Amino acid sequence: MLRKHVIPPGSSGLPSGRGGGTAGLDIASLATVLVTSESSEHPVDHLFDGRNGPGGTRWVASTEGEQTLVLVFDMPQTIREVALEAEEPVASRTQVTTLAVSKDGGQSYQEVVRQEFNFSAPGTTFEREVWNVPAAGLTNLRVTVQPDKGGRSSSRASLTSLALH
């Protein structure tokens, strides 16, 4: 079962108390997941349930605006790559996703990837990226999602899957 906590937007990603996907690391057994928002129909658990690809389950924020997802590892991890999928079947928008890593328990983060996903409905509605991010001793991994670079307030952040290898 996935260990998770909903945190306030703008939080540092530090849990109080305790400091998957496509055949990747088993996030449920290795980390606590912190998320700023999740809809009851599309919880963050869906990112790690293995039902990925077009039409797969997905996480959708319950609130508008930028969202943050933090994996707080129980023990430092070595990550070679991060695979991320996003799907938008309805709206045309540009979603900006940022990946950052920490080796000091979330006190500081180093941004390693910033990616724009361009969705044009109908048309390009599914994106999959695999990022090479060789890093040892990671204590935290943070994904920030800006749902619409154009700033439309009705957009909600969403991701289909997140896998670490």
Side-chain angles (χ1 to χ4, degrees):
M1 172 176 283
L2 189 66
R3 293 172 281 148
K4 65 182 179 180
H5 300 281
V6 177
I7 58 174
S11 172
S12 69
L14 295 173
S16 56
R18 280 179 43 114
T22 56
L25 297 176
D26 180 10
I27 298 304
S29 69
L30 297 174
T32 298
V33 178
L34 310 178
V35 64
T36 52
S37 167
E38 64 178 355
S39 78
S40 57
E41 299 84 27
H42 301 284
V44 73
D45 308 60
H46 287 177
L47 284 180
F48 310 105
D49 66 6
R51 291 181 261 168
N52 55 322
T57 59
R58 62 190 181 131
W59 159 74
V60 178
S62 64
T63 59
E64 299 166 351
E66 185 173 283
Q67 304 294 321
T68 302
L69 168 81
V70 179
L71 303 182
V72 181
F73 298 110
D74 298 334
M75 298 181 59
Q77 297 294 311
T78 298
I79 306 295
R80 295 183 325 273
E81 65 183 21
V82 176
L84 188 129
E85 296 179 342
E87 184 170 25
E88 174 54 73
V90 179
S92 293
R93 63 187 175 99
T94 299
Q95 178 167 292
V96 181
T97 303
T98 305
L99 176 70
V101 295
S102 175
K103 295 182 178 185
D104 61 9
Q107 296 297 316
S108 63
Y109 283 88
Q110 175 188 1
E111 184 176 310
V112 292
V113 176
R114 180 177 295 262
Q115 176 76 43
E116 292 185 2
F117 294 100
N118 296 303
F119 302 112
S120 56
T124 304
T125 62
F126 181 81
E127 296 280 346
R128 176 176 169 75
E129 292 290 330
V130 178
W131 301 314
N132 219 358
V133 287
L138 296 184
T139 58
N140 300 57
L141 183 136
R142 181 178 69 200
V143 177
T144 305
V145 180
Q146 179 185 0
D148 192 334
K149 184 178 173 182
R152 282 175 266 184
S153 63
S154 62
S155 297
R156 306 250 170 140
S158 68
L159 295 172
T160 302
S161 71
L162 176 64
L164 310 178
H165 303 271

